[in-house]
Amino acid sequence: MIPVLAIARRGCLGGCFGSGSISLFRGVQSGIPRLQELAENSASPAAEAPEPRSKADFSFFPPASGKDSGLRWAGKAFDEIPIVHIKATYNNTHIQVVTHENVSLARSTCGSEGFKNAKKATAVAAQTTGIAAATKACAKGVSHVRVMVKGLGPGRMAAIKGLTMGGLEVISITDNTPIPHNGCRPRKARRL
């Protein structure tokens, strides 16, 4: 097994794959240690064979609340993972991290991060707020989160990017924006 890996590595270094050699080389580089570990584990007699997963076990959607799933993140089930609530308005972005029991762990807004007036309504402010909320949550031992986004402001995606930059791993993103089914009469049109 090891000589085959050496040949694959030598072939990538030689550049025989053309223009796509860099991306293939990175894939081979990251795959080589995993293959070596598998070869060592399979050589030992006490190694257990992992259970094969069927396609029925995989789902793009998170498990329904109340239903038990075999998936675990840092030893926690999906229902026990902390939730990040992001409220993206046109003028500001609010981010709050709560436990699965709805106890607040961290809270941050664009205004509390030092942005004033129209600068609060920017994606940069939302990203900075996401980083600040993530560092506060990481200090309290949070590593994996579920995200609930509400609103149509400019900081929707930037806040999620800030959370990942701050050190949190996002498990699922749920859009919770309220949509009227022709409820209230809208305001009159603004004249410019």
Side-chain angles (χ1 to χ4, degrees), residues 165-188:
M165 289 173 65
L168 294 178
E169 189 172 336
V170 177
I171 300 300
S172 73
I173 302 171
T174 306
D175 190 4
N176 212 8
T177 305
I179 300 171
H181 301 288
N182 285 346
C184 302
R185 180 181 171 127
R187 294 177 62 179
K188 65 180 182 181

Side-chain angles (χ1 to χ4, degrees), residues 12-167:
C12 288
L13 291 175
C16 63
F17 294 114
S19 62
S21 64
I22 294 174
S23 61
L24 182 63
F25 179 67
R26 286 185 183 155
V28 170
Q29 281 288 69
S30 64
I32 287 174
R34 270 188 270 137
L35 289 173
Q36 288 175 345
E37 287 177 14
L38 286 172
E40 291 170 4
N41 290 341
S42 65
S44 65
E48 297 178 6
E51 294 181 14
R53 287 193 167 180
S54 66
K55 290 184 178 180
D57 295 341
F58 180 77
S59 174
F60 285 108
F61 301 106
S65 60
K67 289 190 175 180
D68 190 32
S69 171
L71 299 174
R72 294 280 185 254
W73 293 271
K76 295 181 180 177
F78 185 78
D79 289 340
E80 298 171 356
I81 296 175
I83 304 169
V84 177
H85 293 282
I86 299 173
K87 183 180 177 188
T89 64
Y90 291 114
N91 298 319
N92 204 347
T93 303
H94 301 262
I95 300 175
Q96 185 172 13
V97 183
V98 297
T99 63
H100 68 282
E101 296 169 340
N102 221 10
V103 177
S104 180
L105 295 174
R107 184 184 168 98
S108 187
T109 64
C110 293
S112 67
E113 294 304 312
F115 294 95
K116 304 274 185 190
N117 302 328
K119 291 180 183 166
K120 291 191 294 186
T122 61
V124 174
Q127 185 172 338
T128 306
T129 305
I131 293 171
T135 52
K136 289 177 190 175
C138 285
K140 295 192 178 180
V142 177
S143 60
H144 298 80
V145 291
R146 298 182 279 164
V147 176
M148 306 275 277
V149 184
K150 184 181 281 190
L152 298 173
R156 280 169 61 101
M157 295 308 292
I160 297 171
K161 185 177 179 184
L163 290 172
T164 57
M165 289 173 65

